[in-house]
Amino acid sequence: ALYGEPINPHRAAEDSTKRLYAGPLDGNGRRSIYQKMTLMDPPKFLALFNQPIPKLTTGRRDTTNVPNQALAMLNNPFVNSMAQHWSQGLMQDQAETSAERVSSMYIKAFGTPPDSKTIEGFIAFANECANLHGATEQPLLENQRVWQDVAHAMFNMKEFIYVQ
């Protein structure tokens, strides 16, 4: 939703003496421009991705590509929770095949349909995840953990991370 009150960023610990309060991990689904910024404790996840320092005027953000960013996309609780949230929604979709689900996920993530090689790669990945999780008896389309891994993999693709 546009406008409205700002949201406190997620914090591991609150400090009421500094007026640093924890907000929800997903920011109530709002964009980062609606997060409260404080000089004492700016959001750490955004700082990894070149968030400007709040007390400095910044005309253009720096462009970097550092290992910390890749590690954050793999391990950050926010990214993991968003993959889990997406996979929970997938359990309600009407996909009849893995290819259909991969295609709809890809379109949602990238705004373009995948080619057949990409679909085959993600289906192979989903099957491998099912084997690693020991969930070979459960139908693939009903295994939320597998689709959480697929969503997490899509979040880490170059096409998702970089604007071209």
Side-chain angles (χ1 to χ4, degrees), residues 25 76-91 144-145 147-152 155:
L25 186 62
N76 189 276
F78 172 73
V79 178
N80 290 323
S81 72
M82 291 298 99
Q84 181 180 22
H85 177 72
W86 192 5
S87 68
Q88 288 169 343
L90 292 172
M91 296 300 101
Q144 181 186 339
R145 182 69 179 126
W147 295 103
Q148 179 178 339
D149 290 345
V150 172
H152 198 188
F155 289 158

Side-chain angles (χ1 to χ4, degrees), residues 3 26 30 37 40-41 68 73 83-84 102 109 122 129-130 136 158 162:
Y3 315 111
D26 70 347
R30 307 216 47 216
M37 294 294 146
M40 291 185 203
D41 188 27
N68 291 358
M73 290 302 291
Q84 181 180 22
V102 166
F122 273 112
C129 288
T136 53
K158 287 182 182 180
Y162 301 107

Side-chain angles (χ1 to χ4, degrees), residues 62-131:
D62 295 332
T63 302
T64 61
N65 181 1
V66 295
N68 291 358
Q69 294 169 344
L71 290 171
M73 290 302 291
L74 289 171
N75 300 316
N76 189 276
F78 172 73
V79 178
N80 290 323
S81 72
M82 291 298 99
Q84 181 180 22
H85 177 72
W86 192 5
S87 68
Q88 288 169 343
L90 292 172
M91 296 300 101
Q92 311 306 317
D93 74 3
Q94 304 299 318
E96 294 182 13
T97 65
S98 296
E100 191 178 316
R101 179 168 288 163
V102 166
S103 182
S104 70
M105 289 176 73
Y106 196 90
I107 290 169
K108 189 169 188 173
F110 307 110
T112 183
D115 58 24
S116 59
K117 185 177 178 184
T118 302
I119 292 172
E120 291 170 11
F122 273 112
I123 291 172
F125 176 68
N127 285 319
E128 183 64 27
C129 288
N131 288 335

Side-chain angles (χ1 to χ4, degrees), residues 8-9 11 13-23 37-42:
N8 284 312
R11 290 188 171 89
E14 293 187 354
D15 186 346
S16 60
T17 60
K18 296 179 183 176
R19 291 183 279 163
L20 298 176
Y21 303 104
M37 294 294 146
T38 63
L39 298 178
M40 291 185 203
D41 188 27

Side-chain angles (χ1 to χ4, degrees), residues 45-53 61-66 69:
F45 184 75
L46 294 177
L48 289 170
F49 293 93
N50 305 321
Q51 174 199 16
I53 298 170
R61 291 174 68 169
D62 295 332
T63 302
T64 61
N65 181 1
V66 295
Q69 294 169 344

